[in-house]
Amino acid sequence: MGPWMAKHAASTLLLFVALVSIVGCAERPVVEQLPAANFNGPLVQAPPAVEAAKPVAVVKPAIPEPKKSAPQLAGIPREWTPNATKSDGWRYIVIHHSATPSGGARAFDKMHKAKGWDELGYHFVVGNGTDTADGQVEVGPRWPKQKWGAHAKTPDNRFNNYGIGICLVGNFDNERPTKAQMQNLSKLVSYLMKTYRIPADRVIGHGDTKATDCPGRNVHIADVRKMAAQLAAGDAPADTYAQSTPGEMLVTVPRK
Ligand SMILES: [Zn+2]
């Protein structure tokens, strides 16, 4: 061994010792890492009696995926089912009257814009045979966009943010809503309650949110709840909606 070799061997040994001391500190002794002793003998597993059938590859037929949107009920005007989704949901249904003898979505849209609002504040308007047919349900421009309402202002604004606003045309302090108005209001309310899982006690009149007599003393929310519940009971078969008089369920969306 020459002097160079001796020097080299010495440095290799030093490196080895250094490595062992570094690694050895971090790791547990090898014995500890072994599994616990087992004296029960090896586990003998009987072979399966019958070889499991090999999974058959399932080839899915090339059927196009149905478009993912809210479920569509037969007899429900398709405008009632928006394509958009409100991420924070709907929690209330707030009933109003227009407090005017006549009108419709288009007229109220104009009135609301004149007040400086963005557009018609309600989501739906139920006609009384003046501007639109008796009981005709008009879908306002907010609904397809699933936009918050402008119909029931309160300090925390929860009825505007989470309330679906429905206006019956008429002044129900003086007159009574028509039968067609009440029927179609109930159909609409029943549909909305089911679709958005809104309980009956959250179907309210504007007067339940603040001091106002809206929707008028001749509109009884208890009746609306009862009629809507009757429709909803038994899962309101599609026919229930379809049975309405033709023309009653016409829908229009006022243009900008
Ligand atoms: Zn109101």
Side-chain angles (χ1 to χ4, degrees):
M1 211 194 286
W4 181 86
M5 284 284 278
K7 195 180 162 196
H8 188 67
S11 59
T12 305
L13 184 71
L14 210 75
L15 185 71
F16 178 75
V17 169
L19 261 174
V20 165
S21 61
I22 290 166
V23 175
C25 282
E27 303 238 329
R28 290 179 296 143
V30 172
V31 175
E32 268 185 35
Q33 292 177 44
L34 292 172
N38 179 357
F39 302 104
N40 296 328
L43 246 174
V44 178
Q45 215 165 7
V50 182
E51 205 176 307
K54 277 185 184 168
V56 178
V58 179
V59 180
K60 278 190 181 172
I63 297 170
E65 283 276 314
K67 213 183 140 203
K68 288 220 172 111
S69 61
Q72 190 82 60
L73 278 170
I76 286 294
R78 63 158 294 104
E79 288 82 356
W80 288 14
T81 304
N83 285 326
T85 306
K86 191 174 187 289
S87 58
D88 52 358
W90 296 112
R91 300 177 200 168
Y92 307 93
I93 297 171
V94 187
I95 316 287
H96 301 260
H97 71 157
S98 66
T100 56
S102 63
R106 213 170 295 271
F108 304 149
D109 183 54
K110 227 179 228 178
M111 278 168 56
H112 290 177
K113 279 176 182 160
K115 283 191 200 183
W117 300 359
D118 49 353
E119 56 192 353
L120 176 69
Y122 311 116
H123 296 97
F124 298 92
V125 176
V126 186
N128 67 345
T130 55
D131 284 21
T132 59
D134 185 16
Q136 179 174 337
V137 177
E138 291 184 284
V139 178
R142 310 181 98 82
W143 188 247
K145 294 177 279 199
Q146 291 291 279
K147 188 176 176 182
W148 46 270
H151 53 87
K153 195 159 179 61
T154 53
D156 64 5
N157 225 26
R158 68 179 145 148
F159 300 106
N160 272 341
N161 288 340
Y162 306 110
I164 302 170
I166 306 174
C167 177
L168 296 166
V169 181
N171 185 330
F172 303 124
D173 277 333
N174 312 326
E175 49 187 325
R176 284 178 192 287
T178 69
K179 200 179 164 211
Q181 275 184 306
M182 284 303 278
Q183 278 177 343
N184 283 353
L185 171 68
S186 304
K187 283 170 194 165
L188 177 61
V189 168
S190 156
Y191 166 75
L192 296 172
M193 284 172 74
K194 284 206 296 179
T195 307
Y196 300 101
R197 296 171 202 278
I198 298 170
D201 62 355
R202 290 197 173 187
V203 177
I204 54 178
H206 189 186
D208 295 318
T209 73
K210 68 168 202 175
T212 167
D213 64 356
C214 179
R217 63 167 176 262
N218 293 324
V219 172
H220 306 291
I221 297 302
D223 291 347
V224 179
R225 288 178 182 167
K226 198 174 150 193
M227 288 172 79
Q230 279 168 353
L231 283 170
D235 207 29
D239 322 58
T240 313
Y241 297 98
Q243 274 164 11
S244 60
T245 317
E248 259 184 9
M249 309 288 274
L250 287 174
V251 169
T252 47
V253 179
R255 284 189 210 98
K256 285 243 166 189

